[in-house]
Amino acid sequence: MPAERRNKKQQENRGDAAAPQRLAVRKTYKLYVNGAFPRSESGRSYPVTSAKGEHLANAALASRKDARDAVVAARKAFGGWAGRTAYNRGQVLYRAAEMLEGRRAQFVDEVVAADGVGRGRAEALVSAAIDRWVYYAGWTDKIAQVAGAANPVSGPYFNQSAPEPAGVVAVIAPPWAPLLGLVSVVAPVIATGNTAVVVAGERAPLPAVTLGEVLATSDLPGGVVNILTGRLAELAPPLAAHADVNALDLTGAGDLAAELEEAAADTLKRVLRPEPAPDWSADPGTIRMTPFLETKTVWHPIGV
Amino acid sequence: MADQIFEYAPAPESRAVVSIKPSYDLFIDGEFTPASGEERITTLNPADEEPLAEVAAAAEADVDRAVRAARRAFERVWAPMPGAERGKYLFRISRIIQERARELAVLESLDNGKPIKETRDVDLPLVAAHFFYHAGWADKLAHAGLGPDPRPLGVAAQVIPWNFPLLMLAWKIAPALATGNTVVLKPAETTPLTALVFAEICQEAGLPPGVVNIVTGAGETGRALVAHPGTDKVAFTGSTEVGRQIARAVAGTPKRLTLELGGKGANIVYDDAALDQAVEGIVSGIFFNQGHVCCAGSRLLVQESIADELLARLKARIERLRMGDPLDKNTDIGAINSAAQLARIRDLARIGEEEGAQGWSPTCEPPERGYWFAPTVFTGVSQAHRIAREEIFGPVLSVLTFRTPDEAVAKANNTPYGLSAGVWTEKGSRMLWTADRLRAGVVWSNTFNKFDPASPFGGYKESGYGREGGRHGLEGYLAG
């Protein structure tokens, strides 16, 4: 039965309940992979409820195959993204902050629904998330100056160390703070030139999907950020073991953290362990960027 | 050609500067103390297979004793001590190493098999420099850029390999001590002797008991040390396989970990390179320390148009390398460290032949006893060959060619490792372009195998994590 007729029938069945003057167009939440918005290849979805237990929407239930596709996309995007100038990456990130600002009303609604917080609190959280994004936009062309060095070696050599992105980073977003926490873990990873495969918080994934829509319209090349919604226990282990993932952010891994860290040992991934209770309102400094940076030291003789 | 080369008279360094005891105990809490078990390990001179000394094999109980001593020293003495005072101990150690440099150089050559030329001119000066450099950090940690009040982690468990026994000890102990940590270090079972003399140096320097503990032993001792719940930090240099095991063992614990693992370094020679300089760099890249170097340039990538000329010059140069007595000051290539390592090198070289690469070695007669492997160059190597993919850790060079800079970079990066790389070109813009694209922690341009305590060293990808040396090296021993 077509949806319109089914809806009409439901309305009729409800007797005298008045039909709305205009029926809202609901959103289909999808994955964000390689700059596009596919449904899960598995064809599955799962119901997402608000903090109060009301049905909000169906989110795509990503599969291991979706996770692998996301890694392929992230790897493909890595060279181009890492190869851009730091200034240009800053421009792109700032553009994303502009897009976030433009959608703030939508994010506030989604945070209210997902988190069960009041409007005032949700507005503060969305503002903090936008400001966090701007913070990292400003880091792109400074981190090398802060984390790099000219080394005074004992000999006639030019010797310089500079940080470089580690590569593809799998990010397990925190299940709490569905927007501020998410932004706080994704922005530092890409600001430094890495590409990311993000597993959104399982309970409240909808702001993450909307963030994907923001990123898709903000000059960020496809594949730099890939967002998966679904079951942590299904998506995280294949990412932790994946040989083409260079680093793992376990912030939202909870009880799975030790097991995932062990899986990551096989490929010697860089691992950021979860903190007991991260304070998302605190000044983050560089601690979420440096774990995903390598240091390259270049030597060259000096002479004539 | 060969008849035009002078035969050098032997110029052996005297062994008289070293007195090796027949037997050594463990160094725990400032004292040499017997191990709980009876098991002993005999360390050989790989150049003549003669036993040098026996050392203890530390059991779990001994490791536990050492960790407890380190914990006590950390809490009561070392961490509370002002940084300036800690620094002075390290300055003292650096000076004593300089004073005893010749003794240590000879002992290192005897135990490891590496040429005295290298221990004297490379290892020992760097060892002293590492302690001197880090000594100066001890009272300046707030300026290291790691936060205003960086704190030591506690007890560091450190496991080091046999290729640079004393240098790796310095790389591990100097930053750990400068940052206020105490250490339990396990040297490799085939090369424990200079670490035990270092223990004497700690006594001579008046270092408080328990700050440095040395437990000798093999893999079991290392496993017990790494797994000990009383340590806060694990630092390991060695094979990627053991590194993986350690990463697994540390997973889910609060311990911090740094790993310096294997490599399969590419040495890229462009057609405009100064060829004779490049040849020197290729030789140093793969034959320095008998190729027992994790950052060795074991894959030579040479631009096709100059491959024939470069190979001819390279072979002519290798013909002049002198293999033999490590204590002879004219020796370029010493002994392979152990029978087991020699077997592994032979095995991989044989596989190289079987897979279709062409091996070449100069005519040289190895001494009758000891572990020897002539410098070897494989040509006709493809990227799929095992000799191009696996770390051989011996004097074996694989030669591949490329046509374009993009191809050179793609081939150089075609490895799970990412420790080192070399670039040879006279064109600065091409050097920087290439260095930019190489996925390696150290890029030597128009030089190779250079090390300095002020310069961070460490790998990308499966070459491990963390850096040693420089400001970056402090990070692995501090909580922000």
Side-chain angles (χ1 to χ4, degrees):
Chain A
M1 194 185 290
E4 298 88 332
R5 280 183 55 199
R6 191 170 58 209
N7 276 336
K8 203 173 171 198
K9 200 166 167 95
Q10 280 170 357
Q11 307 264 333
E12 282 166 2
N13 288 348
R14 283 180 201 157
D16 57 0
Q21 285 194 320
R22 180 183 171 273
L23 187 62
V25 177
R26 284 187 179 165
K27 175 167 156 185
T28 305
Y29 287 86
K30 300 194 200 176
L31 306 175
Y32 178 50
V33 176
N34 204 21
F37 296 92
R39 290 190 168 90
S40 168
E41 63 81 35
S42 65
R44 303 173 302 171
S45 64
Y46 72 110
V48 176
T49 52
S50 72
K52 292 176 196 152
E54 295 152 347
H55 180 80
L56 292 174
N58 293 315
L61 184 61
S63 66
R64 300 164 71 99
K65 175 70 163 69
D66 292 315
R68 289 199 296 271
D69 289 347
V71 173
V72 170
R75 173 59 59 195
K76 202 174 83 192
F78 175 66
W81 182 239
R84 292 195 178 210
T85 65
Y87 176 58
N88 181 251
R89 280 204 303 273
Q91 293 277 304
V92 172
L93 260 73
Y94 185 74
R95 173 83 176 150
E98 291 175 353
M99 297 293 116
L100 273 164
E101 187 79 47
R103 295 241 211 162
R104 60 174 303 126
Q106 181 184 356
F107 279 109
V108 169
D109 287 346
E110 285 187 343
V111 168
V112 167
D115 246 6
V117 295
R119 282 206 89 73
R121 172 78 182 138
E123 278 175 11
L125 287 169
V126 171
S127 298
I130 298 168
D131 293 352
R132 180 69 33 93
W133 200 280
V134 171
Y135 172 79
Y136 283 110
W139 258 120
T140 58
D141 52 3
K142 292 158 196 80
I143 188 70
Q145 291 180 308
V146 172
N151 309 307
V153 297
S154 138
Y157 293 94
F158 161 85
N159 182 299
Q160 180 180 289
S161 296
E164 291 189 349
V168 174
V169 182
V171 178
I172 314 297
W176 59 96
L179 184 64
L180 179 56
L182 177 76
V183 162
S184 299
V185 294
V186 173
V189 166
I190 61 168
T192 46
N194 296 289
T195 55
V197 176
V198 183
V199 180
E202 184 173 325
R203 184 190 64 78
L206 303 185
V209 181
T210 307
L211 179 70
E213 293 167 8
V214 164
L215 298 178
T217 53
S218 58
D219 306 334
L220 194 74
V224 172
V225 172
N226 305 275
I227 298 173
L228 304 171
T229 55
R231 304 282 178 233
L232 177 66
E234 185 179 359
L235 298 173
L239 288 171
H242 199 301
D244 209 19
V245 172
N246 300 94
L248 193 55
D249 180 344
L250 292 177
T251 300
D255 296 341
L256 280 178
E259 181 191 315
L260 295 173
E261 191 179 344
E262 204 175 322
D266 278 340
T267 45
L268 295 159
K269 285 183 181 61
R270 282 60 178 147
V271 174
L272 179 61
R273 291 170 171 166
E275 303 157 58
D279 175 6
W280 300 117
S281 64
D283 179 349
T286 59
I287 51 166
R288 302 204 75 90
M289 290 187 284
T290 48
F292 308 119
L293 291 170
E294 298 288 355
T295 297
K296 179 188 282 175
T297 301
V298 177
W299 292 68
H300 195 284
I302 292 171
V304 288
Chain B
M1 282 294 278
D3 57 350
Q4 292 169 19
I5 301 172
F6 288 110
E7 269 309 315
Y8 289 176
E13 177 64 85
S14 168
R15 285 180 66 154
V17 291
V18 177
S19 59
I20 302 175
K21 294 176 199 156
S23 175
Y24 288 87
D25 287 331
L26 307 173
F27 183 68
I28 296 174
D29 212 11
E31 301 290 338
F32 284 93
T33 145
S36 58
E38 296 294 306
E39 199 189 333
R40 313 289 291 174
I41 294 170
T42 302
T43 181
L44 301 178
N45 178 348
D48 61 13
E49 298 173 59
E50 291 297 324
L52 293 170
E54 272 190 359
V55 298
E60 257 185 69
D62 303 310
V63 168
D64 186 56
R65 210 149 45 91
V67 171
R68 283 172 198 279
R71 172 66 55 193
R72 269 195 309 277
F74 172 72
E75 285 172 1
R76 295 183 193 167
V77 185
W78 199 243
M81 186 185 291
E85 299 303 305
R86 278 205 311 268
K88 285 197 283 191
Y89 281 107
L90 294 179
F91 280 125
R92 268 192 191 181
I93 290 171
S94 172
R95 280 293 199 240
I96 298 172
I97 287 166
Q98 288 175 329
E99 287 161 6
R100 296 176 68 170
R102 180 151 158 195
E103 170 196 350
L104 288 163
V106 172
L107 183 58
E108 193 82 317
S109 276
L110 284 171
D111 204 15
N112 171 281
K114 63 169 72 189
I116 186 74
K117 191 170 78 175
E118 292 178 6
T119 55
R120 183 192 63 196
D121 298 346
V122 180
D123 295 59
L124 262 297
L126 276 173
V127 170
H130 268 272
F131 280 98
F132 198 89
Y133 174 80
H134 285 96
W137 267 124
D139 56 353
K140 302 169 190 67
L141 298 174
H143 300 280
L146 305 168
D149 182 28
R151 296 175 314 283
L153 301 172
V155 176
Q158 308 184 314
V159 178
I160 57 170
W162 47 259
N163 59 339
F164 291 92
L166 196 56
L167 183 59
M168 291 301 104
L169 174 147
W171 282 28
K172 293 282 180 291
I173 291 184
L177 262 46
T179 47
N181 300 275
T182 57
V183 308
V184 179
L185 177 129
K186 187 198 89 70
E189 69 267 32
T190 62
T191 55
L193 296 183
T194 42
L196 294 162
V197 174
F198 179 79
E200 293 173 11
I201 290 173
C202 292
Q203 289 179 324
E204 192 181 328
L207 194 71
V211 173
V212 168
N213 304 274
I214 311 275
V215 290
T216 48
E220 278 307 308
T221 308
R223 269 187 286 278
L225 179 55
V226 165
H228 195 291
T231 62
D232 305 282
K233 156 86 186 177
V234 175
F236 171 76
T237 295
S239 74
T240 293
E241 195 35 55
V242 175
R244 279 196 188 96
Q245 291 168 19
I246 292 174
R248 256 180 242 129
V250 167
T253 73
K255 287 182 204 193
R256 293 263 294 269
L257 177 62
T258 44
L259 298 171
E260 296 289 351
L261 309 177
K264 193 72 193 173
N267 213 348
I268 300 171
V269 184
Y270 284 113
D271 57 6
D272 68 334
L275 284 194
D276 288 331
Q277 285 173 31
V279 164
E280 288 306 310
I282 294 161
V283 166
S284 140
I286 185 61
F287 301 127
F288 175 65
N289 204 34
Q290 295 72 247
H292 301 330
V293 186
C294 50
C295 51
S298 53
R299 287 181 299 150
L300 174 62
L301 295 175
V302 51
Q303 199 150 16
E304 203 177 84
S305 53
I306 55 156
D308 290 344
E309 189 185 352
L310 182 82
L311 278 173
R313 291 196 202 197
L314 180 64
K315 287 178 178 176
R317 177 70 184 86
I318 294 171
E319 288 277 9
R320 283 160 177 71
L321 292 175
R322 303 169 65 89
M323 185 168 88
D325 180 8
L327 283 191
D328 190 319
K329 289 172 218 165
N330 295 320
T331 291
D332 299 303
I333 308 253
I336 301 300
N337 181 247
S338 65
Q341 185 57 26
L342 180 60
R344 179 174 159 75
I345 297 169
R346 283 185 173 152
D347 210 33
L348 276 162
R350 180 183 50 76
I351 289 165
E353 296 276 1
E354 283 171 10
E355 289 189 339
Q358 292 86 51
W360 172 90
S361 291
T363 46
C364 60
E365 277 195 21
E368 278 180 15
R369 304 202 61 195
Y371 312 127
W372 305 94
F373 194 90
T376 299
V377 177
F378 275 103
T379 50
V381 179
S382 92
Q383 294 185 84
H385 284 166
R386 278 181 67 187
I387 52 169
R389 306 208 65 78
E390 291 181 30
E391 187 178 39
I392 298 176
F393 225 63
V396 180
L397 179 68
S398 296
V399 183
L400 298 95
T401 58
F402 67 89
R403 289 184 180 176
T404 63
D406 280 321
E407 188 187 346
V409 168
K411 282 185 169 171
N413 287 339
N414 182 14
T415 165
Y417 296 114
L419 189 50
S420 69
V423 184
W424 298 85
T425 171
E426 289 296 274
K427 195 172 169 186
S429 57
R430 181 181 287 162
M431 182 280 278
L432 292 170
W433 181 93
T434 309
D436 215 30
R437 280 158 184 76
L438 291 170
R439 304 285 292 158
V442 187
V443 177
W444 287 293
S445 303
N446 293 335
T447 184
F448 211 93
N449 271 343
K450 291 288 182 294
F451 307 93
D452 191 277
S455 181
F457 179 92
Y460 283 42
K461 299 193 280 185
E462 295 189 17
S463 288
Y465 29 81
R467 294 293 180 271
E468 291 183 299
R471 192 179 66 77
H472 295 77
L474 302 172
E475 199 174 348
Y477 288 97
L478 288 169

